[in-house]
C-alpha cells in the first residue's frame, strides 16, 4: 500500500455530557461502564494540524504554543501509532494543536483534542473512515472524544463486545433541532486539575461505596434524556442533567481520599442557579471533572442569568455555547 | 399521685455525630433507619430552666432571650406534654433556654436543647428517670438529643422494636478516656438554615437514589468507629468520620431538588483540611446539616490548624471543643 502523506487540519468541538461517563470497564480500550449523552458545543473547540514526515526522528507535539513532553507527549504519540496500526512502517509526525479555552480544567479539552487529532491524523495518513470508525478511534484517545466526532446531540453507547467494536457515538438529533438551547460556561479557575479524569475515574470505581448505586441510575437517565432532547423538553433535560452531575460528583467525593472538584466559586454559582430557579427563571447546572459550572438555560434567559452570575466575584470568565457541529477538516493550517 | 412541682435547671452539651443519623423509619416516635456514634462536646451547650405552674394558661417559652411562637413553641409544648403523659391533669410551664452558640445552623442545638429540656422537665415534675429512659424521652424531641443525655463517646442504637423501647443511647467511653481528642468548630454562617434537618431527612429518604447505598455502609462504620474510639486510633476515627459525613451530604445532595448545606466557605475549609493532611498534619473534617465545618484533630495540632483556618476570610468564628460530660442539673436558674 502506498500511503499518501499530507498536512491536514481538523477542528473539533468540545462537548458537555448531559448524562455523564464516569468509569472504565476496560482501560486499555477505554470501554465505559455506562452509556452517556452529550451536546456538542459550538464555541469551545480545538484545531489540530498534523504532518507525517519521514525525515522526523520523533514526534514533535505543540499544544497551545507549548512543546509538550513526557506523559502528555506519550498520549498523543500512542494515538498517532494507533492510527498507523495497519501500516508496516511507523512514521513520526509534527502536531500542532490549539484550543480556544483552558485545558485540563473540566472543559473536555481531551474530547475536542482527540476528536480533532483522530480526524486530521487519519486524513493525513490518506485514510477515509466512517463516522462510526472515527468515533471508535477517537474513544481510544479519550472516552469523551468519541462523542465530539459528531455534532448536535449525541449518545455514546457503552456496548457489550470485548473488543469495543460496538462502543461508539451516534447522533440523536442534529444541532439545528434545538439551536436555542444554551449553555453558560462560568470559568472559576483555569488551573490544571490535580486529579485527572482518568485517575479520578479509576479511584472512584475502585472504592466509592456509591459506585454501583450511581450505575444503577444511568440507563434510566439516558432514556429520559434522549426523550427530553427529542421533545425539546427543557425542564426535563435540565432536571436530569443537574441530578446526574450531582450524582457523579457525589460518587467521586465519597472515594478515599475524597475527590472534590468543586471550588468555593463553583458552589456559589450552583446555589445561585437554585436561587434563580426559585425566582422562576428556568436554569440548571452541570459540571464535569473540574471546578467550572455550566448553566443550561433557554436563549431568552441568557442575559438575566449572565448578569446575576457576573456579580459573583469568583467568576473569572463566561462563555456562551449552543449546540455545535461535528468534527471537520479545514484548509486553514496551524503551520 | 401528688406531683412535686419545682423550678429546675439543666445543662446539656451538644454532640457531634462521628457516624451520622439521617432518616427516620418512624417519624412520630423518631426511630432512625441507622445507628449512630457521637462525641459529646464540652464547649457547646444549652441551659434550660423549667417551672410548671398551675396559674399559667399557656406555655411560655423563651429561647435565647426571644419569646418563641408557632411551630417552635409547639415542638417544646409537645415535648412537655409527653413528659406529663402519665399525669391526668396537664400543667403549663414557663421555659427559658439559652445556648452559647447559634441555633439551627448545623451545630445540633436541638440535641443539647431537647436533652436539657428532658432532664429539667422530668425533674421539675418530680420524676426520676434512668439514663436509658431519659435518652428515649429526649429522642422523642429530637433524635440526636438521645445522645446528648450521655457524656464522652456515645452510640445511639437504632433498635428494632416498633414502640422504640430499644432505641436509645449508651456510653461507649467516658470523656476522660480521650480528653486530648479535639474538634475545631469553624462558624461560616450563623443564619438559620432554610431546610430543617427534619425536612431534609424526610426528602432524602423519599427520593435520593443513594439512600440505600448510604444505609448499607453504616453498620460497618459504626463498628469501626467504636473500635477506633476504644483504641484511641485517631487516624481511623478521622477517616471514617470524614467519609461518613461526605456520604451523608452526597446522599442529600442527590435528592430532588438537591439539598446543599455546603457554602463556599465550607468548601474552602474542607479543601484546606485535605491540604493540611497532604502536608502531614493529621486532621479530618465532618459536617452536620448546616454549613459549619468541624475539624477533628489532636491537641498538639490545634494551634497550627487554627491559624491556617483563620486565614480563610469566610470564617466568622472558631470554637475549640473536647469530649464533654453528660446532661446535668444545676442550681443556677435562668429566671
Amino acid at each position: 500500500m502506498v500511503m499518501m502523506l499530507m498536512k491536514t487540519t481538523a477542528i473539533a468541538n468540545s462537548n458537555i455530557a448531559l448524562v455523564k461517563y464516569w468509569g472504565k470497564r476496560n482501560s486499555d480500550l477505554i470501554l465505559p461502564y455506562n452509556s452517556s449523552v452529550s451536546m456538542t458545543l459550538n464555541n469551545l473547540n480545538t484545531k489540530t494540524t498534523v504532518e507525517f514526515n519521514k525525515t522526523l526522528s520523533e514526534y514533535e507535539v505543540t499544544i497551545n504554543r507549548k512543546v509538550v513532553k513526557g506523559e502528555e507527549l506519550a498520549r498523543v504519540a500512542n494515538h498517532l501509532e494507533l492510527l498507523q496500526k495497519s501500516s508496516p512502517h511507523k512514521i513520526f509526525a509534527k502536531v500542532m494543536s490549539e484550543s480556544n479555552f483552558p485545558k485540563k480544567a473540566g472543559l473536555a479539552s481531551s474530547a475536542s483534542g482527540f476528536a480533532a487529532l483522530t480526524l486530521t491524523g487519519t486524513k493525513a495518513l490518506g485514510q477515509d473512515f466512517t463516522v462510526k470508525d472515527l468515533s471508535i478511534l477517537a474513544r481510544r484517545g479519550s472516552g469523551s472524544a468519541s462523542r465530539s466526532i459528531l455534532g448536535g446531540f449525541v449518545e455514546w453507547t457503552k456496548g457489550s463486545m470485548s473488543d469495543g467494536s460496538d462502543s461508539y457515538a451516534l447522533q440523536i438529533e442534529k444541532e439545528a433541532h434545538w439551536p436555542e438551547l444554551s449553555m453558560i460556561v462560568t470559568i472559576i479557575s483555569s488551573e490544571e486539575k490535580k486529579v485527572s479524569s482518568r485517575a479520578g475515574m479509576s479511584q472512584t470505581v475502585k472504592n466509592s461505596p456509591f459506585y454501583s448505586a450511581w450505575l444503577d441510575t444511568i440507563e434510566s437517565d439516558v432514556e429520559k434524556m434522549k426523550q427530553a432532547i427529542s421533545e425539546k423538553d427543557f425542564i426535563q433535560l435540565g432536571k436530569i442533567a443537574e441530578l446526574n452531575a450531582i450524582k457523579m460528583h457525589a460518587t467521586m467525593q465519597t472515594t478515599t481520599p475524597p475527590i472534590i472538584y468543586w471550588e468555593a466559586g463553583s458552589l456559589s454559582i450552583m446555589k445561585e442557579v437554585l436561587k434563580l430557579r426559585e425566582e422562576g427563571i428556568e436554569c440548571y447546572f452541570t459540571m464535569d471533572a473540574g471546578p467550572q459550572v455550566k448553566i443550561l438555560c433557554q436563549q431568552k434567559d441568557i442575559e438575566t442569568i449572565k448578569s446575576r452570575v457576573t456579580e459573583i466575584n469568583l467568576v473569572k470568565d463566561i462563555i456562551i455555547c449552543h449546540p455545535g457541529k461535528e468534527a471537520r477538516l479545514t484548509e486553514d493550517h496551524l503551520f
Side-chain angles (χ1 to χ4, degrees), chain A residues 185-250:
Chain A
V185 183
T186 61
I187 310 280
I188 304 296
S189 165
S190 52
E191 273 182 41
E192 289 190 10
K193 55 201 185 195
K194 281 187 208 156
V195 182
S196 69
S197 299
R198 196 158 278 198
M201 280 184 199
S202 153
Q203 194 192 315
T204 307
V205 171
K206 205 169 134 199
N207 73 24
S208 167
F210 289 172
Y211 192 68
S212 5
W214 146 262
L215 281 186
D216 287 346
T217 66
I218 302 297
E219 291 312 313
S220 149
D221 282 3
V222 166
E223 287 318 305
K224 283 190 228 156
M225 184 56 77
K226 283 162 74 175
Q227 198 184 343
I229 290 167
S230 295
E231 294 171 2
K232 299 206 268 183
D233 181 340
F234 176 71
I235 292 177
Q236 180 74 341
L237 175 137
K239 274 186 182 170
I240 305 163
E242 185 175 283
L243 179 56
N244 186 272
I246 301 177
K247 285 188 292 191
M248 180 181 78
H249 284 272

Side-chain angles (χ1 to χ4, degrees), chain A residues 26-319:
Chain A
N26 178 323
S27 51
D28 288 331
L29 295 174
I30 309 197
L31 296 174
Y33 271 112
N34 65 279
S35 299
S36 52
V37 176
S38 65
M39 168 169 120
T40 301
L41 300 168
N42 67 342
N43 284 332
L44 298 179
N45 63 58
T46 301
K47 185 197 247 192
T48 304
T49 300
V50 169
E51 187 176 40
F52 285 93
N53 188 328
K54 286 173 183 164
T55 68
L56 290 176
S57 57
E58 58 181 0
Y59 289 102
E60 290 177 8
V61 180
T62 307
I63 298 178
N64 295 339
R65 294 168 198 196
K66 213 182 125 189
V67 176
V68 299
K69 298 280 171 203
E71 221 174 291
E72 211 169 352
L73 172 64
R75 206 168 155 192
V76 173
N78 285 344
H79 199 64
L80 291 170
E81 305 220 323
L82 175 72
L83 302 185
Q84 299 180 71
K85 209 175 54 179
S86 54
S87 155
H89 306 289
K90 297 286 181 283
I91 311 165
F92 293 108
K94 180 176 171 182
V95 176
M96 198 170 276
S97 184
E98 278 181 21
S99 295
N100 66 349
F101 60 96
K103 71 172 179 170
K104 294 191 185 173
L107 291 167
S109 57
S110 64
S112 54
F114 279 97
L117 185 66
T118 301
L119 178 59
T120 186
T122 52
K123 203 71 190 177
L125 289 163
Q127 301 162 337
D128 219 359
F129 283 110
T130 61
V131 166
K132 171 182 157 181
D133 288 337
L134 284 172
S135 176
I136 288 175
L137 277 171
R139 190 199 76 215
R140 300 282 298 273
S142 173
S144 53
S146 65
R147 298 185 307 236
S148 272
I149 293 292
L150 294 104
F153 299 88
V154 176
E155 178 183 6
W156 170 19
T157 52
K158 62 180 178 181
S160 59
M161 309 280 281
S162 60
D163 66 353
S165 57
D166 60 348
S167 180
Y168 54 90
L170 283 164
Q171 195 172 55
I172 300 167
E173 296 284 355
K174 281 192 199 311
E175 56 274 27
H177 167 71
W178 200 351
E180 65 278 18
L181 182 62
S182 313
M183 198 179 78
I184 302 172
V185 183
T186 61
I187 310 280
I188 304 296
S189 165
S190 52
E191 273 182 41
E192 289 190 10
K193 55 201 185 195
K194 281 187 208 156
V195 182
S196 69
S197 299
R198 196 158 278 198
M201 280 184 199
S202 153
Q203 194 192 315
T204 307
V205 171
K206 205 169 134 199
N207 73 24
S208 167
F210 289 172
Y211 192 68
S212 5
W214 146 262
L215 281 186
D216 287 346
T217 66
I218 302 297
E219 291 312 313
S220 149
D221 282 3
V222 166
E223 287 318 305
K224 283 190 228 156
M225 184 56 77
K226 283 162 74 175
Q227 198 184 343
I229 290 167
S230 295
E231 294 171 2
K232 299 206 268 183
D233 181 340
F234 176 71
I235 292 177
Q236 180 74 341
L237 175 137
K239 274 186 182 170
I240 305 163
E242 185 175 283
L243 179 56
N244 186 272
I246 301 177
K247 285 188 292 191
M248 180 181 78
H249 284 272
T251 304
M252 64 176 94
Q253 283 165 1
T254 51
T255 55
T256 307
I259 300 173
I260 304 179
Y261 286 118
W262 297 357
E263 297 283 350
S266 322
L267 206 55
S268 300
I269 298 172
M270 289 156 72
K271 297 208 139 185
E272 193 65 29
V273 167
L274 297 179
K275 208 169 148 202
L276 280 157
R277 225 151 67 210
E278 275 173 21
E279 294 170 21
I281 297 153
E282 284 298 337
C283 57
Y284 297 86
F285 63 79
T286 181
M287 292 178 73
D288 284 334
Q292 332 303 349
V293 181
K294 291 102 173 188
I295 306 171
L296 291 156
C297 66
Q298 295 169 99
Q299 183 72 35
K300 66 180 175 66
D301 295 321
I302 289 180
E303 287 309 315
T304 313
I305 298 167
K306 208 176 138 182
S307 75
R308 283 283 287 274
V309 164
T310 312
E311 283 168 27
I312 298 170
N313 63 6
L314 296 160
V315 175
K316 294 194 174 139
D317 199 5
I318 284 178
I319 305 166

